[in-house]
Amino acid sequence: MPAHPPADSPAFAGLTAVPLDVVLSDAGLGVRQVAGPVEDREVAMVHTSEWEDPSRYLLGGELLLTAGRHLGTGHAELDAYVERLVRAGVAALGFGLAPVHDEVPPELLAACAHWGLPLLLVPPETPFVAVSRVVHLAMAEARSRELRRMSRAQSDLAAAASRPDAVESVLRQLAGHLGAWTALLDGDGHELVACGSHPADSARQRLLALARERGRLRAAGGRVPEAAVEHVGEAQLILHTVPGAESSGALQLALVTAGRQTSVDRSVAGMGVVLLSLLTGPRHALGADGPTAGALLRALLGAGPAELAALLHPSGDASAARWSVVAGRSSAARADGSARSARVHLAALGTALGTACLEVDGDTLRAVIPLPTTAEDRMPTGEAEVFEDFPDAVRLGWTLGVSAPAGTADLRAAAAQAERALHRALATDRRTVRHPRAQNGVHSLVDPDEARAQARHLLAPLLTAGPPGADVLVETLHGWLSAHGSWDRTAAALGVHRNTVRQRVTRVAALLDSDLDDPQTRMELWFALRWLDRV
């Protein structure tokens, strides 16, 4: 005998089912259950029929009302009638007394008990339309609750997606709204992020095994359904493919719930899949669309900055394009430093910085952020200044140096500015330092070519020095001068021991044959470093 259709079956598609108890608990109707199982049934609609065989007109999930005009009275007839209703998926049978019957036929009671169909007695004073109205009002109220729940879930998920830990926050909201254990899995079935109370080991292991099976099938070029559902005991295991990832390593949203999902649960899970797809999609610098992919290809083939700028800004003035370069150092050790965890962290960091053009290598960060053409007007002038830039990235554990706005042809120089700003931030224990934009001052009075030639002449002993090499000595000198001669702050900025800084600065002083304690010498060296091409 087929089971009564669950609330998530096609019979309820597009409908809001309500418990049968809404009819039994309404005192004004006076309806009572006289046979069949007493547990709640879900009712999707109310239908009235006096046909001897109404099954061809039913979809399943109905509360079928009848006065029994054409039922007959024999045991075999009534037993066959109830069997047909059960096979059609009827949720319950409502039998109205008068004008045809003064009481429920005993054979009907026996048949309903035998086939497991709830039988309700509708008193003579209760019209069928009143029963229908109670059910439809309950369905309207239930639908209103569902819409409010979906609205709350949508709002909470959108807020979670804007947080610095966006992926974990979205999973946490899904766990709360669905009453489920939620996890983001990679193509090999490994947990990247998980939220909620852990399910039983048997359910969790089966879910991970199912994820691995789907991953192997996808890697082999097979067609993998967008969703998969299994049951282990009372637990329901659900896997959703997260679109947007590469085919060989597609991510999967895993859910373990205590019972069946409702239509609202499925809608909320769908919202989560969409957000996770956006948050974990490709974050490569030039790989998101046609123009940027073309720019990457031409860069590999040797195209110059002007040509790349035209590709990156096809609808605007490429010469007016402005960018900020960000250099970062991580100050937070994550619990899971694996490549899988780094992938999720990269997605969250890209969201926090507002760019897909970023790279994380261990505890270092490089990013290029497009700016509106008016952004330069809002940048500071004067010495490097401290700002509350990118607070979400800071909360993710990053210390940042940000360059002044730069054109596409000047990104290399902007990268050097970002590194200097980062060293300043680390040396002064700040979280974000922005390099000042170009300004009128002493530099504007000096011919750039002559200034660079003088810088190379003054620093020539460093540029030809042996181990630890010119780059290391120049970087150490710049960091030491920017920290006003502080050994500890310079060591913190460079990530070395203070004695190493002392040794390098002593070596610089010997190579230059200069007294680095003299303010005039420091000033000249600082200007030379500012004009040196490599700084």
Side-chain angles (χ1 to χ4, degrees):
M1 178 181 64
H4 177 264
D8 58 352
S9 74
F12 293 85
L15 301 173
T16 300
V18 296
L20 181 61
D21 189 59
V22 300
V23 176
L24 298 172
S25 60
D26 190 299
L29 295 178
V31 175
R32 58 190 179 91
Q33 187 170 351
V34 293
V38 296
E39 68 271 11
D40 285 341
R41 292 287 182 95
E42 295 290 319
V43 177
M45 63 196 81
V46 179
H47 182 64
T48 301
S49 175
E50 299 298 335
W51 287 90
E52 182 179 355
D53 181 10
S55 58
R56 70 187 68 181
Y57 306 109
L58 303 177
L59 296 174
E62 294 92 350
L63 168 57
L64 181 65
L65 302 177
T66 181
R69 181 177 299 275
H70 300 295
L71 289 187
T73 57
H75 173 77
E77 294 174 284
L78 291 175
D79 189 76
Y81 174 76
V82 173
E83 180 185 2
R84 287 192 294 268
L85 298 185
V86 170
R87 294 190 181 280
V90 169
L93 176 64
F95 191 83
L97 297 182
V100 181
H101 296 273
D102 295 329
E103 60 180 13
V104 181
E107 294 81 4
L108 183 59
L109 290 169
C112 288
H114 172 72
W115 290 103
L117 179 67
L119 178 61
L120 311 185
L121 177 63
V122 182
E125 63 274 13
T126 300
F128 285 175
V129 70
V131 178
S132 180
R133 182 177 61 182
V134 167
V135 172
H136 289 151
L137 286 175
M139 292 173 67
E141 292 175 1
R143 183 58 179 167
S144 178
R145 289 193 299 270
E146 289 178 349
L147 292 175
R148 289 196 298 270
R149 181 186 166 200
M150 290 175 61
S151 178
R152 287 194 300 268
Q154 184 177 22
S155 176
D156 291 344
L157 287 170
S162 67
R163 290 176 51 85
D165 55 342
V167 173
E168 184 175 355
S169 295
V170 168
L171 290 174
R172 190 181 303 115
Q173 289 296 332
L174 286 175
H177 282 281
L178 300 178
W181 178 70
T182 60
L184 187 64
L185 311 179
D186 66 10
D188 297 323
H190 296 115
E191 292 179 27
L192 304 180
V193 185
C195 294
S197 300
H198 270 274
D201 287 341
S202 58
R204 180 172 171 273
Q205 292 304 321
R206 177 54 195 149
L207 182 68
L208 298 181
L210 180 60
R212 288 192 292 270
E213 293 171 7
R214 287 162 56 86
R216 285 192 293 267
L217 180 59
R218 182 180 291 107
R223 186 176 182 277
V224 179
E226 293 300 316
V229 180
E230 283 195 9
H231 293 85
V232 174
E234 296 296 322
Q236 186 177 43
L237 318 180
I238 306 166
L239 282 173
H240 292 278
T241 298
V242 178
E246 59 274 16
S247 61
S248 61
L251 301 178
Q252 301 180 75
L253 170 62
L255 304 171
V256 179
T257 64
R260 294 181 179 275
Q261 279 196 314
T262 66
S263 59
V264 176
D265 293 333
R266 290 192 294 274
S267 296
V268 172
M271 297 178 201
V273 170
V274 172
L275 288 175
L276 290 173
S277 174
L278 296 173
L279 293 170
T280 60
R283 291 284 180 181
H284 303 295
L286 298 175
D289 52 40
T292 54
L296 175 60
L297 175 61
R298 296 200 187 186
L300 292 173
L301 297 177
E307 184 179 353
L308 298 181
L311 286 173
L312 293 171
H313 296 270
S315 60
D317 183 3
S319 63
R322 290 293 181 267
W323 311 80
S324 279
V325 179
V326 176
R329 183 83 58 82
S330 176
S331 57
R334 294 185 293 279
D336 180 6
S338 66
R340 299 188 302 273
S341 176
R343 180 179 180 184
V344 175
H345 182 80
L346 181 66
L349 185 58
T351 302
L353 293 175
T355 181
C357 307
L358 75 161
E359 177 189 38
V360 173
D361 184 7
D363 63 348
T364 61
L365 159 71
R366 290 182 296 179
V368 179
I369 301 174
L371 297 174
T373 55
T374 58
E376 189 170 0
D377 297 334
R378 299 196 298 269
M379 295 298 107
T381 59
E383 292 299 320
E385 298 188 31
V386 179
F387 287 84
E388 290 300 322
D389 285 329
F390 311 114
D392 291 341
V394 168
R395 282 196 289 271
L396 284 170
W398 289 91
T399 299
L400 304 174
V402 186
S403 75
T408 308
D410 301 319
L411 288 178
R412 188 183 298 274
Q417 293 177 0
E419 289 292 340
R420 291 199 296 271
L422 174 61
H423 290 162
R424 175 73 179 273
L426 294 169
T428 56
D429 197 26
R430 306 284 187 174
R431 301 311 304 271
T432 308
V433 169
R434 184 183 289 274
H435 187 89
R437 67 180 173 89
Q439 56 203 314
N440 293 325
V442 175
H443 285 278
S444 65
L445 304 178
V446 181
D447 179 76
D449 293 334
E450 292 182 4
R452 279 190 286 270
Q454 174 61 23
R456 288 193 292 269
H457 173 74
L458 180 61
L459 299 173
L462 297 187
L463 303 181
T464 59
D471 290 339
V472 172
L473 293 177
V474 169
E475 181 185 34
T476 302
L477 176 60
H478 183 276
W480 184 73
L481 291 175
S482 66
H484 304 291
S486 169
W487 308 110
D488 291 330
R489 285 187 294 170
T490 305
L494 298 178
V496 298
H497 195 274
R498 67 194 307 271
N499 289 341
T500 302
V501 176
R502 283 182 177 274
Q503 294 169 2
R504 292 178 183 175
V505 172
T506 301
R507 176 89 185 282
V508 168
L511 289 170
L512 297 177
D513 192 21
S514 300
D515 179 10
L516 298 187
D517 290 329
D518 178 46
Q520 179 72 22
T521 301
R522 291 192 183 188
M523 181 189 69
E524 291 181 358
L525 290 174
W526 179 256
F527 278 106
L529 289 171
R530 292 287 297 273
W531 280 111
L532 193 65
D533 291 338
R534 69 176 66 205
V535 176

XYZ file of all heavy atoms in Angstrom, residues 185-236:
380
model
N 31.957 21.873 1.519
C 32.887 20.789 1.202
C 33.554 21.049 -0.137
O 32.951 21.656 -1.028
C 32.146 19.443 1.132
C 31.196 19.085 2.283
C 30.550 17.735 2.009
C 31.936 19.085 3.604
N 34.794 20.575 -0.261
C 35.437 20.652 -1.562
C 35.096 19.410 -2.372
O 34.324 18.547 -1.940
C 36.948 20.846 -1.418
C 37.645 19.639 -0.784
O 37.000 18.582 -0.629
O 38.835 19.748 -0.452
N 35.685 19.309 -3.571
C 35.357 18.199 -4.451
C 35.767 16.847 -3.916
O 35.249 15.812 -4.357
N 36.713 16.827 -2.945
C 37.157 15.565 -2.351
C 36.393 15.208 -1.082
O 36.756 14.255 -0.390
C 38.658 15.640 -2.039
C 39.500 15.816 -3.298
O 39.127 15.226 -4.328
O 40.508 16.547 -3.250
N 35.368 15.994 -0.761
C 34.574 15.699 0.419
C 35.196 16.171 1.713
O 34.785 15.733 2.795
N 36.177 17.077 1.660
C 36.783 17.610 2.872
C 35.990 18.826 3.362
O 35.555 19.649 2.559
C 38.230 18.035 2.632
C 39.136 16.903 2.276
N 39.755 16.801 1.058
C 39.512 15.805 2.985
C 40.485 15.708 1.012
N 40.350 15.079 2.176
N 35.861 18.949 4.658
C 35.169 20.095 5.241
C 36.065 21.322 5.157
O 37.190 21.315 5.641
C 34.811 19.825 6.707
C 33.763 18.768 6.914
C 33.488 18.551 8.404
O 33.693 19.508 9.180
O 33.107 17.436 8.779
N 35.556 22.389 4.552
C 36.262 23.659 4.544
C 35.812 24.507 5.727
O 36.630 25.062 6.450
C 35.999 24.403 3.238
C 36.354 23.636 1.945
C 36.034 24.494 0.734
C 37.804 23.222 1.947
N 34.520 24.616 5.901
C 33.920 25.354 7.014
C 32.663 24.600 7.421
O 31.935 24.098 6.561
C 33.544 26.804 6.620
C 33.036 27.571 7.833
C 34.724 27.535 5.999
N 32.405 24.494 8.723
C 31.202 23.811 9.199
C 30.604 24.602 10.354
O 31.322 25.237 11.126
C 31.522 22.382 9.647
N 29.286 24.578 10.461
C 28.574 25.296 11.528
C 27.416 24.428 12.010
O 26.866 23.617 11.257
C 28.038 26.640 11.035
S 29.323 27.841 10.610
N 27.015 24.653 13.252
C 25.897 23.915 13.826
C 26.364 22.696 14.594
O 27.541 22.323 14.570
N 25.431 22.070 15.290
C 25.737 20.884 16.086
C 26.074 19.718 15.168
O 25.351 19.442 14.203
C 24.540 20.513 16.973
O 24.225 21.578 17.854
N 27.166 19.035 15.471
C 27.595 17.922 14.627
C 26.563 16.801 14.667
O 26.052 16.452 15.729
C 28.953 17.398 15.085
C 30.098 18.083 14.414
N 30.599 17.681 13.211
C 30.815 19.177 14.775
C 31.595 18.478 12.845
N 31.743 19.393 13.791
N 26.265 16.227 13.518
C 25.323 15.099 13.478
C 25.997 13.824 13.968
O 27.195 13.809 14.291
C 24.968 15.015 11.989
C 26.201 15.506 11.295
C 26.774 16.573 12.191
N 25.236 12.758 13.997
C 25.796 11.458 14.350
C 26.906 11.092 13.372
O 26.858 11.462 12.196
C 24.710 10.393 14.345
N 27.894 10.347 13.867
C 29.030 9.983 13.011
C 28.587 9.233 11.764
O 29.142 9.429 10.676
C 30.028 9.134 13.804
C 30.802 9.959 14.823
O 30.829 11.196 14.673
O 31.361 9.368 15.762
N 27.585 8.370 11.912
C 27.144 7.587 10.756
C 26.587 8.493 9.665
O 26.869 8.311 8.476
C 26.089 6.572 11.185
O 24.970 7.229 11.783
N 25.789 9.500 10.058
C 25.217 10.423 9.082
C 26.311 11.275 8.442
O 26.329 11.485 7.219
C 24.165 11.302 9.741
N 27.220 11.764 9.259
C 28.285 12.627 8.733
C 29.208 11.861 7.784
O 29.563 12.353 6.715
C 29.088 13.208 9.889
C 30.216 14.129 9.474
C 30.816 14.806 10.703
N 32.030 15.529 10.356
C 33.238 14.987 10.328
N 33.389 13.696 10.628
N 34.290 15.707 10.007
N 29.595 10.656 8.160
C 30.488 9.871 7.306
C 29.818 9.517 5.981
O 30.459 9.535 4.929
C 30.926 8.596 8.040
C 31.828 8.848 9.231
C 33.075 9.640 8.855
O 33.663 9.439 7.792
N 33.470 10.562 9.728
N 28.530 9.183 6.040
C 27.823 8.865 4.794
C 27.731 10.095 3.898
O 27.869 10.006 2.675
C 26.423 8.319 5.106
C 25.581 8.030 3.870
C 26.301 7.109 2.904
N 25.699 7.090 1.569
C 26.377 6.898 0.460
N 27.691 6.714 0.478
N 25.760 6.887 -0.712
N 27.498 11.255 4.499
C 27.408 12.487 3.727
C 28.744 12.789 3.039
O 28.786 13.128 1.853
C 27.009 13.647 4.642
C 26.818 15.005 3.962
C 25.605 14.973 3.060
C 26.679 16.110 4.989
N 29.851 12.660 3.776
C 31.161 12.928 3.189
C 31.487 11.916 2.094
O 32.093 12.262 1.072
C 32.233 12.900 4.282
C 32.085 13.963 5.385
C 33.221 13.846 6.388
C 32.049 15.369 4.800
N 31.085 10.664 2.317
C 31.308 9.647 1.286
C 30.517 9.971 0.023
O 31.015 9.816 -1.103
C 30.928 8.266 1.820
N 29.277 10.430 0.203
C 28.462 10.816 -0.948
C 29.091 11.988 -1.689
O 29.101 12.027 -2.921
C 27.054 11.172 -0.481
C 26.048 11.607 -1.561
C 25.844 10.496 -2.578
C 24.711 11.991 -0.914
N 29.652 12.946 -0.936
C 30.312 14.087 -1.563
C 31.530 13.631 -2.363
O 31.792 14.135 -3.466
C 30.727 15.101 -0.505
N 32.279 12.669 -1.824
C 33.451 12.159 -2.558
C 33.027 11.432 -3.829
O 33.676 11.551 -4.873
C 34.270 11.245 -1.651
C 35.020 11.984 -0.557
C 36.022 11.084 0.122
N 35.374 10.039 0.906
C 35.033 10.157 2.182
N 35.282 11.293 2.828
N 34.462 9.167 2.832
N 31.945 10.671 -3.746
C 31.446 9.977 -4.936
C 31.070 10.977 -6.026
O 31.399 10.787 -7.207
C 30.227 9.125 -4.566
C 30.547 7.953 -3.647
C 29.292 7.277 -3.136
O 28.193 7.648 -3.609
O 29.402 6.403 -2.249
N 30.391 12.046 -5.641
C 30.006 13.068 -6.611
C 31.248 13.759 -7.190
O 31.287 14.082 -8.378
C 29.085 14.089 -5.959
C 27.687 13.556 -5.699
C 26.930 14.408 -4.681
N 26.847 15.801 -5.045
C 25.917 16.342 -5.829
N 24.981 15.556 -6.361
N 25.899 17.634 -6.085
N 32.251 13.998 -6.332
C 33.470 14.618 -6.808
C 34.213 13.755 -7.819
O 34.707 14.254 -8.837
N 34.294 12.433 -7.548
C 34.965 11.532 -8.485
C 34.201 11.460 -9.814
O 34.818 11.438 -10.879
C 35.096 10.137 -7.858
C 36.175 10.049 -6.792
C 36.458 8.608 -6.439
N 35.315 7.984 -5.779
C 35.144 7.921 -4.466
N 36.051 8.479 -3.656
N 34.092 7.323 -3.935
N 32.884 11.432 -9.739
C 32.087 11.388 -10.950
C 32.281 12.652 -11.769
O 32.418 12.620 -12.999
C 30.612 11.197 -10.600
C 29.621 11.135 -11.777
C 29.979 9.989 -12.712
C 28.184 10.980 -11.263
N 32.327 13.797 -11.103
C 32.526 15.068 -11.807
C 33.919 15.114 -12.428
O 34.100 15.564 -13.561
C 32.336 16.232 -10.840
C 32.468 17.603 -11.484
C 32.270 18.716 -10.479
N 30.882 18.776 -10.040
C 30.474 18.385 -8.837
N 31.345 17.888 -7.971
N 29.210 18.460 -8.494
N 34.935 14.661 -11.679
C 36.301 14.677 -12.199
C 36.444 13.767 -13.418
O 37.267 14.017 -14.299
C 37.278 14.257 -11.105
N 35.641 12.699 -13.452
C 35.691 11.770 -14.584
C 34.879 12.260 -15.775
O 34.795 11.563 -16.790
C 35.195 10.392 -14.144
N 34.270 13.433 -15.654
C 33.496 13.985 -16.748
C 32.044 13.562 -16.749
O 31.329 13.844 -17.709
N 31.597 12.895 -15.683
C 30.204 12.468 -15.614
C 29.278 13.607 -15.244
O 29.704 14.653 -14.751
N 28.013 13.391 -15.477
C 26.998 14.401 -15.150
C 26.541 14.202 -13.716
O 26.096 13.112 -13.338
C 25.816 14.293 -16.107
C 24.783 15.405 -15.940
C 23.681 15.299 -16.982
N 22.734 16.378 -16.857
C 21.720 16.385 -15.996
N 21.531 15.329 -15.214
N 20.883 17.414 -15.940
N 26.674 15.240 -12.916
C 26.337 15.176 -11.494
C 25.103 16.029 -11.246
O 25.078 17.215 -11.610
C 27.510 15.686 -10.629
C 27.154 15.633 -9.155
C 28.755 14.845 -10.895
N 24.043 15.485 -10.633
C 22.860 16.294 -10.324
C 23.215 17.475 -9.434
O 24.163 17.411 -8.640
C 21.934 15.296 -9.601
C 22.429 13.949 -9.995
C 23.899 14.079 -10.215
N 22.454 18.553 -9.566
C 22.721 19.740 -8.758
C 22.495 19.482 -7.272
O 23.071 20.160 -6.431
C 21.833 20.897 -9.226
C 22.160 21.398 -10.621
C 23.585 21.907 -10.734
O 24.017 22.637 -9.814
O 24.264 21.576 -11.705
N 21.650 18.509 -6.935
C 21.370 18.207 -5.535
C 21.220 16.703 -5.371
O 20.843 15.994 -6.312
C 20.117 18.925 -5.052
N 21.529 16.225 -4.180
C 21.374 14.810 -3.848
C 20.822 14.717 -2.430
O 21.192 15.509 -1.556
C 22.701 14.074 -3.946
N 19.926 13.754 -2.205
C 19.289 13.575 -0.898
C 19.335 12.100 -0.534
O 19.036 11.231 -1.353
C 17.818 14.058 -0.915
C 17.190 13.855 0.467
C 17.728 15.517 -1.336
N 19.728 11.827 0.707
C 19.691 10.474 1.257
C 19.205 10.551 2.698
O 19.142 11.638 3.291
C 21.071 9.814 1.200
C 21.472 9.318 -0.176
C 22.654 8.362 -0.124
O 23.041 7.964 1.011
O 23.187 8.015 -1.186
N 18.879 9.391 3.263
C 18.438 9.331 4.653
C 19.270 8.298 5.399
O 19.563 7.221 4.876
C 16.953 8.963 4.747
C 16.046 10.026 4.200
N 15.740 10.113 2.849
C 15.391 11.052 4.805
C 14.931 11.147 2.661
N 14.706 11.729 3.815
N 19.659 8.663 6.593
C 20.313 7.741 7.515
C 19.529 7.824 8.821
O 19.645 8.796 9.564
C 21.795 8.091 7.744
C 22.392 7.198 8.827
C 22.581 7.959 6.452
N 18.707 6.807 9.066
C 17.819 6.870 10.221
C 16.827 7.998 10.054
O 16.175 8.134 9.015
N 16.716 8.854 11.064
C 15.813 10.001 10.995
C 16.455 11.223 10.345
O 15.788 12.229 10.120
C 15.348 10.381 12.416
C 14.527 9.308 13.105
C 13.223 9.049 12.366
O 12.627 10.012 11.860
O 12.809 7.874 12.298
N 17.762 11.148 10.083
C 18.471 12.301 9.525
C 18.349 12.333 8.006
O 18.417 11.294 7.349
C 19.945 12.253 9.925
N 18.162 13.533 7.484
C 18.139 13.729 6.044
C 19.453 14.372 5.617
O 19.865 15.401 6.160
C 16.970 14.610 5.623
C 16.808 14.731 4.109
C 15.585 15.549 3.722
O 15.319 16.589 4.305
N 14.839 15.091 2.736
